[in-house]
Amino acid sequence: MRLIITGGAGFIGSNLILQLRAKYPDYQILNLDKLSYASDLKYLRHLEYDDGYTFKQFDLIDRGSVRQVIRDFKPDGIFHLAAESHVDNSIAGPEPFVMSNVVGTFNILEEFRQFWLDSGRPGDARFLHVSTDEVYGSLGAEGFFTEETCYAPNSPYSASKAGSDFLVRAYYHTYGLDVVTTNCSNNYGPNQHDEKLIPTVIQSALHHKSIPVYGKGDNVRDWLFVEDHCRALDLVFHKGKAGEAYNIGGHNEWKNIELVCEICNILNTIAKDGPDGDYKNLITFVRDRPGHDQRYAIDPTKIETKLGWRNTQNFKEDLKKTVHWYLGKYKQQ
Ligand code: NAD
């Protein structure tokens, strides 16, 4: 199999490439990434001499290059993860989100379709579009997002992801392209950029800076270990039904403030250097994010029953492993 992975130098993409290389040594993987501030090729450094892996620096906005790379590589499938991914940045400046997430997705989808039409084997190759639960908007205290939940995005990030999901859906219904979409909840684990919640908490604590928490900290997120997400992507790519979407989540809801306190408690037992003996003393409530969704929670019944996926995590253990990983990273800096 010849696979293109877009966004493979980011958080989830790098974890996915490492997992796929280990599981499918015969596959050829081409990682296309523009290397934004959120990327780090160091995460993939031990694939440097791996014959089954190639990296190409590449911006999906450049349509001509997208065409060329698809025609040169002749992929059997694409895992499309490349996106601008940070909600706060999308509020400060939405344009790159529309460009990468909507136009970039259109470019690769359309060039993939043209390539397969010209190859005389349309329908023979798969496009997996990796999206988010944020497209569904916000839940109240009860209920879960299912694949039937109406889209109601509230931030420029989620709106741009929703736009890309609709394009992907249209390419199945209009052209019969073999597409599958996944909508996943918040991920945690190694390789995430410092600006995201968990790395921010750890880095702030280590530097004895205030740990910012939006509003009252009562927004709820459903956290999934990145390796479980990657296993789900592998399953959906190989076994998912064309034209369908699969929600991925671990039934692991945490209020932001509870998660931050949990991380501080882990740090209290490892780093033991918090002010007055407790990193929680650094927590500072800051003005809420505009359009901040109150609660996300996924119902993963479809992927569990149709594809046999299970969330394998032991959240407290995996969170501890994650904290250790960032401690290692920040201590080297
Ligand atoms: P990330 O920001 O860590 O990585 C995204 C990567 O995409 C970066 O390496 C960046 O350079 C690349 N990229 C962005 N625009 C590009 C372009 N125009 N051309 C080429 N490369 C480009 O993000 P992530 O957290 O790894 O998320 C990956 C995907 O998973 C995204 O599509 C995101 O919407 C989705 N997702 C993320 C989460 C999460 O919790 N992180 C949850 C659900 C879904």
Side-chain angles (χ1 to χ4, degrees), residues 11-12 33-34 36 39 59-60 81 85 100 157 161 187:
F11 166 43
I12 300 171
D33 196 302
K34 76 174 179 186
S36 72
S39 325
D59 194 328
L60 289 176
L81 289 90
S85 68
S100 280
Y157 164 66
K161 291 298 289 187
N187 283 213

Side-chain angles (χ1 to χ4, degrees), residues 1-7 16 32 58 60 66 69-70 75-83 100-116 121-131 161 163-173 175-183 233-246:
M1 244 241 189
R2 299 175 65 76
L3 296 180
I4 287 179
I5 315 253
T6 72
L16 177 69
L32 299 180
F58 191 89
L60 289 176
V66 176
V69 81
I70 289 181
D76 299 300
I78 295 181
F79 285 67
H80 177 45
L81 289 90
S100 280
N101 302 1
V102 183
V103 178
T105 300
F106 167 72
N107 283 347
I108 193 154
L109 200 54
E110 174 60 11
E111 289 304 331
F112 190 50
R113 177 178 86 89
Q114 292 291 344
F115 165 68
W116 279 97
R121 301 189 290 155
D124 214 17
R126 170 152 278 194
F127 188 95
L128 167 61
H129 177 59
V130 178
S131 191
K161 291 298 289 187
S164 64
D165 293 11
F166 287 150
L167 276 172
V168 170
R169 177 190 153 89
Y171 269 63
Y172 172 74
H173 288 281
Y175 304 115
L177 197 70
D178 182 343
V179 301
V180 271
T181 296
T182 55
N183 297 89
L233 298 180
D234 176 15
L235 259 182
V236 172
F237 180 81
H238 287 97
K239 299 200 174 135
K241 194 166 168 213
E244 303 235 337
Y246 295 86

Side-chain angles (χ1 to χ4, degrees), residues 136-289:
Y136 297 124
S138 185
L139 288 167
E142 302 286 319
F144 297 95
F145 297 134
T146 73
E147 290 77 2
E148 275 69 51
T149 303
C150 287
Y151 275 35
N154 290 319
S155 73
Y157 164 66
S158 53
S160 67
K161 291 298 289 187
S164 64
D165 293 11
F166 287 150
L167 276 172
V168 170
R169 177 190 153 89
Y171 269 63
Y172 172 74
H173 288 281
T174 308
Y175 304 115
L177 197 70
D178 182 343
V179 301
V180 271
T181 296
T182 55
N183 297 89
C184 188
S185 60
N186 281 44
N187 283 213
Y188 69 97
N191 305 0
Q192 194 167 28
H193 188 264
D194 300 344
E195 69 192 354
K196 300 286 173 67
L197 178 64
I198 291 177
T200 297
V201 173
I202 299 166
Q203 206 177 22
S204 307
L206 288 183
H207 293 131
H208 280 215
K209 287 189 181 154
S210 62
I211 299 172
V213 174
Y214 279 128
K216 297 183 190 131
D218 59 359
N219 302 74
V220 176
R221 298 294 179 261
D222 181 357
W223 290 91
L224 184 70
F225 194 48
V226 63
E227 288 174 13
D228 278 321
H229 183 192
C230 294
R231 281 192 310 99
L233 298 180
D234 176 15
L235 259 182
V236 172
F237 180 81
H238 287 97
K239 299 200 174 135
K241 194 166 168 213
E244 303 235 337
Y246 295 86
N247 282 357
I248 309 168
H251 277 308
N252 182 39
E253 293 180 49
W254 286 73
K255 282 188 180 164
N256 285 348
I257 186 64
E258 290 167 355
L259 178 69
V260 171
C261 287
E262 184 69 19
I263 296 169
C264 289
N265 289 337
I266 296 172
L267 287 171
N268 285 338
T269 62
I270 314 172
K272 297 183 179 147
D273 186 29
D276 296 328
D278 192 346
Y279 288 102
K280 291 198 283 296
N281 290 322
L282 294 167
I283 294 172
T284 310
F285 293 98
V286 298
R287 194 151 67 98
D288 210 354
R289 170 193 272 169

